[in-house]
Amino acid sequence: MIQNSELILNPDGSLYHINLKPENIAQDIIFVGDQERVSKITDRFDSIEFTTQKREFKTQTGSYKGKRLTVISTGIGPDNIDIVLNELDALVNIDLTTRKAKEKLTALNIVRIGTSGSLQEDIPVDSFVMSEYAIGLDNMLRSYLIDDVSEHDIEAAFIQQTDWDLKKGRPYVIKCSESLSNKIFSDKMHKGFTGTAGGFYGPQGRILRLDIQDKDLNNKMDNFNFKGTRMTNLEMETAAIYGLGKLLGHNCLSLNAIIANRATGNFSSNPYQVVEDLIDYTLEKLIQ
């Protein structure tokens, strides 16, 4: 039996942070970072049956062309992903009355729609990247037993090629869900190797008033290559989603609208439109 202190419920029986009960979510879920982006997606729905928000976690469930879908905002960072994915899993795989794991487990299908900047010249602004792999630079997933789900050869190559300082923790690499990638990938997308940082400034090489541990890390990541796999973009959620998804038995895929290209210095002339295009693309793929 899971103790009250470990799985916290609100007085109405909903999960503590995400404010949801099992009947409030669909099996197919879209993650976004920004709570304002939830309605940008659900405005396309035929109907909305449920809406709630607590803190940065806004959820809407409804129907799009006959398919039941849920859209959830996770906020920023791996720590929020730890909350959202564990609590979503509890909704479908833990009996909240007996507080015991169910014998028959449910696999959710989770697709993240986000924005990112490209690290490679040949992945231009206004394009889409599907993260085939993600590398976590944040340490969050190391709190779990991940050896059976991580890609050790890529991790070792990254540590060697970037001269990674292990005082910052050992990076972890996780592959996306093959079933979802087969469903959603097309020639409209680039396959990517996405870096997930634990912060926006120093962890992503930005310098304001504080010096950082490795000023050359971004350049090293740009030049990383493991048997043709190059780093394509940098953000703050994907590796945590992939890792927890694999551990919990859910299918997870991360898609990014590329709004900037660091290699060329370009920024999209209409970043909102490329996000709208990615939303439309994803929804149509999910109903097939």
Side-chain angles (χ1 to χ4, degrees):
M1 180 176 175
I2 302 170
Q3 298 299 312
N4 292 342
S5 60
E6 309 307 291
L7 179 62
I8 306 170
L9 302 181
N10 295 311
D12 67 354
S14 63
L15 265 293
Y16 180 69
H17 295 95
I18 59 177
N19 213 37
L20 296 170
K21 298 178 182 178
E23 63 267 24
N24 299 145
I25 65 167
Q27 191 168 356
D28 295 277
I29 298 173
I30 295 173
F31 278 2
V32 294
D34 184 358
Q35 57 195 272
E36 299 299 322
R37 195 171 290 158
V38 173
S39 61
K40 290 183 182 297
I41 296 176
T42 59
D43 282 347
R44 293 162 164 82
F45 283 15
D46 307 315
S47 61
I48 297 173
E49 67 183 68
F50 176 81
T51 299
T52 192
Q53 181 169 358
K54 185 176 180 182
R55 302 181 186 179
E56 61 267 59
F57 308 118
K58 180 176 180 179
T59 302
Q60 290 191 310
T61 295
S63 177
Y64 177 76
K65 295 185 179 180
K67 186 175 185 66
R68 191 170 186 250
L69 295 169
T70 293
V71 185
I72 300 177
S73 61
T74 65
I76 299 173
D79 51 341
N80 276 11
I81 297 302
D82 183 57
I83 290 170
V84 174
L85 252 168
N86 273 293
E87 293 194 4
L88 283 176
D89 179 76
L91 289 178
V92 295
N93 289 323
I94 295 174
D95 185 316
L96 300 183
T97 301
T98 65
R99 308 184 72 87
K100 294 181 179 179
K102 296 178 180 178
E103 291 186 9
K104 183 179 180 181
L105 301 179
T106 297
L108 298 170
N109 301 309
I110 298 169
V111 177
R112 176 183 181 271
I113 296 178
T115 57
S116 188
S118 169
L119 305 181
Q120 303 297 338
E121 187 172 353
D122 59 337
I123 301 178
V125 296
D126 301 331
S127 63
F128 302 155
V129 167
M130 183 199 81
S131 303
E132 184 177 21
Y133 295 94
I135 182 165
L137 310 175
D138 57 281
N139 280 334
M140 187 279 289
L141 207 66
R142 290 288 177 193
S143 295
Y144 300 95
L145 303 175
I146 64 171
D147 284 349
D148 289 343
V149 300
S150 56
E151 305 287 332
H152 302 287
D153 290 347
I154 306 179
E155 292 169 4
F158 180 86
I159 291 167
Q160 189 272 323
Q161 290 184 34
T162 64
D163 192 26
W164 181 263
D165 186 347
L166 289 176
K167 290 196 296 290
K168 295 190 293 186
R170 184 180 178 87
Y172 59 90
V173 177
I174 312 290
K175 191 174 184 180
C176 71
S177 160
E178 291 190 14
S179 62
L180 273 183
S181 66
N182 290 338
K183 181 181 181 69
I184 289 177
F185 183 74
S186 75
D187 57 8
K188 293 184 178 181
M189 292 193 152
H190 299 269
K191 286 188 177 181
F193 179 36
T194 296
T196 295
F200 183 76
Y201 289 97
Q204 294 190 36
R206 292 181 174 90
I207 300 174
L208 301 183
R209 290 202 313 115
L210 295 177
D211 205 356
I212 59 175
Q213 181 268 331
D214 187 352
K215 295 179 181 179
D216 297 322
L217 179 60
N218 281 3
N219 183 60
K220 295 173 185 175
M221 291 194 295
D222 292 349
N223 292 296
F224 172 79
N225 192 306
F226 178 78
K227 299 180 180 179
T229 296
R230 306 169 303 157
M231 289 199 67
T232 52
N233 60 311
L234 193 61
E235 45 84 91
M236 295 179 64
E237 290 84 28
T238 296
I241 294 171
Y242 283 8
L244 286 172
K246 280 275 176 72
L247 290 171
L248 292 167
H250 304 298
N251 304 306
C252 299
L253 190 69
S254 180
L255 310 175
N256 275 279
I258 299 300
I259 60 173
N261 186 297
R262 192 173 69 193
T264 63
N266 292 333
F267 191 84
S268 174
S269 60
N270 193 348
Y272 300 107
Q273 186 59 52
V274 66
V275 174
E276 295 288 334
D277 292 343
L278 181 56
I279 290 170
D280 288 333
Y281 175 93
T282 305
L283 287 173
E284 291 305 310
K285 286 290 186 179
L286 284 174
I287 65 173
Q288 292 177 5

